[in-house]
């Protein structure tokens, strides 16, 4: 196993209630198996995953063995590291069997496309409205707006401006845990017609989120990373679970978690953690296994100023075409 660090700046840093995401640093994981090279990506994002140092240590432990199960065991407790190692082995296995990753992960039939949302960071009302109009012009139908970085009144003014400028847009909002219970209740009453409010309260707050569900649809993201999908489902804390493969320990675990959530009546949505191309594309495959899904947060490639390789799954008309070649579909070698 080979582990190589990388660092990628965002083209346009994303402002959220938890600060600004401006750079993604991670590790490329390469394994040779069955005569094929498999490539995985571990891109930790503190708040969702282990730290970069913990990720590096786990990958060092994993690299000490060539046995898949031992390497995965070395990554327990380090979800980004486990993501990288499990993806490298799954990519090699799918290539060896000459099938796309999503078939390797358990999809029964061919899946062509996964619908995606645009992600719109915090900005003043006019800028937010212009960005939403712009993404509709690019073919998106659904926009996820970051909220909670300013007062609720200001966020409602942003939503009003968006609805005036882009009345056809389907909207969701993501507060990244910025609100207290009173603000969250007022927000749910004031946001109007949105698909859901994502992570209104700090994670995990499962009982508190369950209590908010009579006011509107709740999606949980950081709470899923903190408490796990099963705990979120068992406590009736969410209508929607936001599944970030990087935070869940891999695309294999994401598929399993999505199936369990759906069986319990909770809708899964797959998103990236502003990952580089290997993990982003793998998340598209995970979404393909779970399809049909609501619009997923996978359209984050353009957020990066540069990437590790050409994107085999670009966004067109509000959807991503699922790569149908063998493996993950990213053509190496990576370029930095
Ligand atoms: O879900 C999306 O539309 C894209 C991904 C995304 O919004 C996020 C990725 C990583 C960290 C966060 O800032 C953010 C989120 O909270 O969902
Ligand atoms: Mg979120």
């Amino acid at each position: 196993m080979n582990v190589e660090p990388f660092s990628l700046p965002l083209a346009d840093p994303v402002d959220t209630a938890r600060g600004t995401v401006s750079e993604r640093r991670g590790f490329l994981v390469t394994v040779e198996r069955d005569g094929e090279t498999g490539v995985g990506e571990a891109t930790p994002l503190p708040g969702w995953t282990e730290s970069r140092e913990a990720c590096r240590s786990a990958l060092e432990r994993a690299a000490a063995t060539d046995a898949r199960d031992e390497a995965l065991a070395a990554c327990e407790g380090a979800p980004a590291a486990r993501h990288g190692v499990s993806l490298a082995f799954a990519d090699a296995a799918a290539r060896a069997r000459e099938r796309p990753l999503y078939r390797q992960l358990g999809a029964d039939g061919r899946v062509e496309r996964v619908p995606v949302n645009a992600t719109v960071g915090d900005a003043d009302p006019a800028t937010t409205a212009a960005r939403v109009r712009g993404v509709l012009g690019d073919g998106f139908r659904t926009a996820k707006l970051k909220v909670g970085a300013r007062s609720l009144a200001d966020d409602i003014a942003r939503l009003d401006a968006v609805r005036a400028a882009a009345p056809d847009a389907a909207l969701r909002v993501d507060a990244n845990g910025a609100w207290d219970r009173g603000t969250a209740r007022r927000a749910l009453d004031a946001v109007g017609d949105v698909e859901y409010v994502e992570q209104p309260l700090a994670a995990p707050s499962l009982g508190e989120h369950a209590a908010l569900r009579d006011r509107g649809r709740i999606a949980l993201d950081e709470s899923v990373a903190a408490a796990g999908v099963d705990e979120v489902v068992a406590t009736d804390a969410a209508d929607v679970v936001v599944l970030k493969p990087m935070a869940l320990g891999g695309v294999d675990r994401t598929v399993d978690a999505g199936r369990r959530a759906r069986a319990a009546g909770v809708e899964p949505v797959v998103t990236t953690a502003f990952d580089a191309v290997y993990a982003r594309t793998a998340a598209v495959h995970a979404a393909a296994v779970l399809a049909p899904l609501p619009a997923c947060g996978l359209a984050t490639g353009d957020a990066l100023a540069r990437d590790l390789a050409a994107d085999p799954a670009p966004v067109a008309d509000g959807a991503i075409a699922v790569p149908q070649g063998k493996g993950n579909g990213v053509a190496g070698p990576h370029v930095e």
Side-chain angles (χ1 to χ4, degrees):
M1 184 185 299
N2 187 50
V3 176
E4 207 184 319
F6 68 81
S7 169
L8 300 170
L10 261 64
D12 200 6
V14 180
D15 292 327
T16 81
R18 283 169 73 118
T20 304
V21 185
S22 55
E23 181 194 40
R24 303 296 290 116
R25 298 171 74 195
F27 304 90
L28 266 191
V29 180
T30 311
V31 298
E32 303 293 333
R33 196 148 144 131
D34 302 329
E36 295 285 346
T37 302
V39 184
E41 177 190 324
T43 311
L45 185 62
W48 279 265
T49 74
E50 76 275 25
S51 68
R52 184 173 151 78
E53 273 323 302
C55 183
R56 183 203 299 276
S57 313
L59 290 173
E60 274 167 13
R61 289 195 301 276
T65 171
D66 278 336
R68 176 181 173 276
D69 291 350
E70 266 180 56
L72 290 178
C75 296
E76 268 326 319
R82 193 189 178 284
H83 182 285
V85 171
S86 59
L87 175 56
F89 280 107
D91 182 36
R95 285 171 182 273
R97 299 180 73 168
E98 301 201 334
R99 59 185 186 181
L101 180 62
Y102 75 95
R103 299 298 294 261
Q104 178 71 21
L105 292 172
D108 288 337
R110 191 176 166 102
V111 181
E112 298 290 349
R113 284 150 66 87
V114 175
V116 293
N117 65 268
T119 313
V120 177
D122 178 61
D124 61 66
T127 308
T128 306
R131 286 184 185 162
V132 174
R133 269 178 74 94
V135 298
L136 285 195
D138 293 339
F140 288 95
R141 291 164 200 83
T142 309
K144 180 174 100 167
L145 308 189
K146 290 294 184 181
V147 294
R150 50 187 79 211
S151 72
L152 179 57
D154 286 355
D155 275 330
I156 298 303
R158 295 171 65 223
L159 278 163
D160 289 345
V162 166
R163 290 196 174 99
D168 293 338
L171 301 175
R172 315 162 164 179
V173 297
D174 185 356
N176 287 111
W179 292 327
D180 58 27
R181 277 188 263 179
T183 310
R185 272 199 296 274
R186 286 196 300 280
L188 280 155
D189 292 345
V191 288
D193 185 16
V194 294
E195 292 183 344
Y196 53 70
V197 175
E198 184 171 325
Q199 199 66 44
L201 306 170
S205 306
L206 299 182
E208 292 86 344
H209 280 118
L212 285 175
R213 287 180 59 204
D214 59 356
R215 307 229 167 196
R217 294 186 85 225
I218 301 292
L220 290 183
D221 177 6
E222 287 90 333
S223 292
V224 167
V229 168
D230 298 319
E231 197 60 27
V232 168
V233 167
T235 52
D236 290 324
D239 299 279
V240 173
V241 281
V242 177
L243 306 180
K244 286 181 165 55
M246 198 58 73
L248 293 176
V251 283
D252 52 345
R253 290 194 168 168
T254 301
V255 167
D256 291 346
R259 286 179 168 156
R260 292 197 305 275
R262 181 178 282 149
V266 179
E267 199 162 32
V269 165
V270 181
T271 84
T272 81
F274 293 111
D275 309 319
V277 65
Y278 294 94
R280 211 170 56 239
T281 308
V284 172
H285 286 279
V289 185
L290 294 169
L293 288 175
C296 286
L298 302 168
T300 58
D302 284 351
L304 299 174
R306 55 192 162 82
D307 210 335
L308 301 174
D311 189 346
V315 182
D317 200 21
I320 290 179
V322 182
Q324 303 294 338
K326 59 182 190 173
N328 196 7
V330 184
H334 76 276
V335 286
E336 246 195 88

